[in-house]
Amino acid sequence: MNTTQTARVTGVLGTACVSTFVVNVNTSAVSILLPSIGADLHTSLDALQWAVTGYMLVGAATIVTSGALGDIFGRRKIFLYGLALFVVSCVLIALAWAGWMVIVGRAIQGAAGAAILASGLSLLSAGTSGPAQMRSVSLWGAAAAAGAAAGPLVGGVLNVAAGWQGLFWLDAAIAAVCIPWTLRTNPESRDPSRPRSIDIGGTLLVAAVLVPFVFAMSEGGTWGWLSVPTLLCLAISVLAAYGFVRVERRSAAPLVNLSLLRNALLVGSTIAILIGAGAVAGLSLLISLYFQDPATLGMSSLVAGLASLPVAAGVVIVAPTVTPLAHKFSARIVILSGFALMTVGFAVLGATRASWSYWVFLPCLLCIAVGLALSNGPASSIATDSVSDEEIGAASGISNMARYVGGAVLTAVVASIYASVSASHAATGGAPADALAMGFSRASIALAIFSAAGVVLCVRVTKRLRAPRAADRVAAAAATVHTVPAAPVPVTQSP
């Protein structure tokens, strides 16, 4: 490889990894910042949970479409659009004078993040081949995992040093630097063999399924679960889901290849990913709100970021060591053990009392972190190992969409339960600390029920994974934020 080629590969790798790290830091840091944002902008935390949920909803609807747009119009072009949109969203949030601006900015950021992640990985795959491709993809996965783990701590540090806006100004600056860097070093690539059509109908219908469903989950406790608004939202979701199936069957380039959904291993692993991603997103929001509330532990954002580090960092550290277990034993045993540990951890949190100190919470958080590592890594491996090489990209797209869906739905569910139960208990004369502890308890029980559903899924998982390689270990570490294919993905590059 000559000097020019080396510089090009280094540039592609650098821009993809740096942007991915920034996106994932931003994603995982926001929950820690919500109390500070709410206090500064005089916005309730009930409303601000949409800053997390809205990001996930838009990401779910656009992650696959972003990859398709890159294949057709140019991966570098969509990557640059994603970076520019990310800069705009960060500036909008940093300049916000009202909570709705943060929510809108985060929704825009969901589309930007999806474009950066999907196109960045495609650029990396197109710019390298063979062992170099797998090394590059492994580094990209490591950057994704490191960003997710570092996010809460980075958010806490910047909040103390520069206010909650500091995170978004810094992210905007880094993303802005990546734009000329990308233009100078990244060659354009596309897939000329791909159909030119874009499944816009499918994208819109994904949003039509998710948005009313999440509204029903987040507001059902207030509206009444059998009230007209709740039932209407659920009916719209069902009709949109039916329409989505009809559209996908007729689309020349469907958002989701429905034939893949006949693959029981892919479907089971995707649901497991959805549950795991949703559980960690819901837990991150819960501990941020509860740990920082003056009526409970009263932590600063920095201390809360440190306190939440065992969950994020624990998964990243433990996951690579789990991969050999999934090969030695059956994936069923490993994933079942993971969901069982998560269920136990959340069930114990269901007994939360106002008198609990952080050190009582910590064993439960570690238990959940290990459970996530045991379940998520093998599930992501199965999602891509259970299909042919030509279908790996589609399978990883489905599992990544599920990751966003799980985060959006379970964040909305736990936020609704936490707020409604706390308010109800306080209305009966309960002390603020007791009311919040009750809300935390009931939300944790809901997460325990979802985690227990993952145990049932393991009945269908019979696959024994291949002997792990370095790429598999990195993919496992990144599994809570992105399904990274641990095998070469066929990518066509144009000059």
Side-chain angles (χ1 to χ4, degrees), residues 7 10 67 104 130-131 144 153 252 261 272 333 345 404 442 446 449 482:
T10 302
V104 170
L153 182 57
L261 301 185
I333 293 174
Y404 278 107
R442 296 298 180 265
I449 293 171
H482 203 86

Short mmCIF file of all heavy atoms in Angstrom, two decimals, residues 7 10 67 104 130-131 144 153 252 261 272 333 345 404 442 446 449 482:
data_model
loop_
_atom_site.label_atom_id
_atom_site.label_comp_id
_atom_site.label_asym_id
_atom_site.label_seq_id
_atom_site.Cartn_x
_atom_site.Cartn_y
_atom_site.Cartn_z
N ALA A 7 -2.82 7.08 3.52
CA ALA A 7 -3.45 8.31 4.03
C ALA A 7 -4.96 8.26 3.85
O ALA A 7 -5.72 8.70 4.72
CB ALA A 7 -2.87 9.52 3.30
N THR A 10 -6.40 5.78 6.37
CA THR A 10 -6.34 6.40 7.69
C THR A 10 -7.41 7.47 7.85
O THR A 10 -8.04 7.59 8.91
CB THR A 10 -4.95 7.01 7.94
OG1 THR A 10 -3.96 6.00 7.81
CG2 THR A 10 -4.86 7.63 9.32
N GLY A 67 -28.77 4.08 5.17
CA GLY A 67 -27.86 3.19 4.45
C GLY A 67 -28.24 3.05 2.99
O GLY A 67 -27.36 3.04 2.11
N VAL A 104 -37.01 19.01 19.86
CA VAL A 104 -36.91 19.08 18.40
C VAL A 104 -35.47 18.83 17.94
O VAL A 104 -35.22 18.09 16.98
CB VAL A 104 -37.41 20.45 17.88
CG1 VAL A 104 -37.09 20.62 16.40
CG2 VAL A 104 -38.91 20.58 18.11
N GLY A 130 -10.74 -7.46 2.85
CA GLY A 130 -10.03 -8.56 3.49
C GLY A 130 -9.76 -8.31 4.97
O GLY A 130 -10.57 -7.71 5.67
N PRO A 131 -8.59 -8.75 5.45
CA PRO A 131 -8.26 -8.56 6.87
C PRO A 131 -8.26 -7.10 7.30
O PRO A 131 -8.64 -6.77 8.42
CB PRO A 131 -6.85 -9.16 6.98
CG PRO A 131 -6.76 -10.13 5.85
CD PRO A 131 -7.56 -9.52 4.74
N ALA A 144 -17.47 2.85 18.94
CA ALA A 144 -18.89 2.90 19.31
C ALA A 144 -19.08 2.49 20.77
O ALA A 144 -19.81 3.15 21.53
CB ALA A 144 -19.70 2.00 18.39
N LEU A 153 -20.20 9.89 31.93
CA LEU A 153 -19.13 10.59 32.64
C LEU A 153 -18.76 11.89 31.92
O LEU A 153 -18.58 12.94 32.55
CB LEU A 153 -17.91 9.69 32.77
CG LEU A 153 -16.71 10.26 33.53
CD1 LEU A 153 -17.12 10.67 34.94
CD2 LEU A 153 -15.57 9.24 33.57
N ALA A 252 -39.75 -2.45 -4.51
CA ALA A 252 -38.61 -3.00 -5.25
C ALA A 252 -37.37 -3.07 -4.35
O ALA A 252 -36.51 -3.94 -4.54
CB ALA A 252 -38.32 -2.12 -6.46
N LEU A 261 -37.80 -12.51 7.92
CA LEU A 261 -38.55 -12.70 9.17
C LEU A 261 -39.06 -14.13 9.32
O LEU A 261 -39.64 -14.47 10.36
CB LEU A 261 -39.72 -11.71 9.22
CG LEU A 261 -39.32 -10.22 9.16
CD1 LEU A 261 -40.54 -9.33 9.35
CD2 LEU A 261 -38.26 -9.89 10.20
N ALA A 272 -34.47 -10.23 21.23
CA ALA A 272 -33.58 -10.19 22.39
C ALA A 272 -32.79 -8.87 22.41
O ALA A 272 -32.60 -8.25 23.47
CB ALA A 272 -32.62 -11.38 22.35
N ILE A 333 -27.79 -21.16 26.51
CA ILE A 333 -27.44 -21.11 27.94
C ILE A 333 -26.91 -19.74 28.32
O ILE A 333 -27.27 -19.17 29.35
CB ILE A 333 -26.39 -22.20 28.26
CG1 ILE A 333 -27.01 -23.59 28.10
CG2 ILE A 333 -25.83 -22.01 29.67
CD1 ILE A 333 -26.01 -24.72 28.26
N GLY A 345 -31.77 -8.73 38.81
CA GLY A 345 -31.32 -7.39 39.16
C GLY A 345 -32.47 -6.39 39.21
O GLY A 345 -32.61 -5.61 40.17
N TYR A 404 -33.16 0.69 18.29
CA TYR A 404 -33.78 2.00 18.46
C TYR A 404 -35.22 1.85 18.97
O TYR A 404 -35.67 2.62 19.83
CB TYR A 404 -33.81 2.75 17.13
CG TYR A 404 -32.52 3.46 16.77
CD1 TYR A 404 -31.68 2.98 15.77
CD2 TYR A 404 -32.15 4.63 17.43
CE1 TYR A 404 -30.52 3.64 15.42
CE2 TYR A 404 -30.99 5.30 17.09
CZ TYR A 404 -30.17 4.80 16.09
OH TYR A 404 -29.01 5.47 15.75
N ARG A 442 -41.64 0.54 40.88
CA ARG A 442 -42.61 0.02 39.90
C ARG A 442 -42.03 0.00 38.49
O ARG A 442 -42.30 -0.92 37.72
CB ARG A 442 -43.88 0.85 39.95
CG ARG A 442 -44.62 0.78 41.28
CD ARG A 442 -45.08 -0.65 41.58
NE ARG A 442 -45.79 -0.75 42.85
CZ ARG A 442 -45.23 -1.08 44.01
NH1 ARG A 442 -43.92 -1.34 44.05
NH2 ARG A 442 -45.94 -1.15 45.11
N ALA A 446 -41.41 -3.33 35.98
CA ALA A 446 -41.76 -3.43 34.56
C ALA A 446 -40.58 -3.91 33.73
O ALA A 446 -40.72 -4.77 32.85
CB ALA A 446 -42.24 -2.06 34.05
N ILE A 449 -40.11 -7.59 34.16
CA ILE A 449 -41.06 -8.39 33.36
C ILE A 449 -40.59 -8.49 31.92
O ILE A 449 -40.63 -9.57 31.32
CB ILE A 449 -42.47 -7.75 33.44
CG1 ILE A 449 -43.02 -7.87 34.87
CG2 ILE A 449 -43.42 -8.40 32.44
CD1 ILE A 449 -44.29 -7.09 35.12
N HIS A 482 -24.83 -0.95 18.68
CA HIS A 482 -24.86 -1.20 17.25
C HIS A 482 -24.48 -2.65 16.97
O HIS A 482 -23.59 -3.19 17.62
CB HIS A 482 -23.88 -0.27 16.52
CG HIS A 482 -24.20 -0.05 15.08
ND1 HIS A 482 -25.08 0.93 14.66
CD2 HIS A 482 -23.79 -0.68 13.96
CE1 HIS A 482 -25.18 0.90 13.35
NE2 HIS A 482 -24.40 -0.07 12.89
#
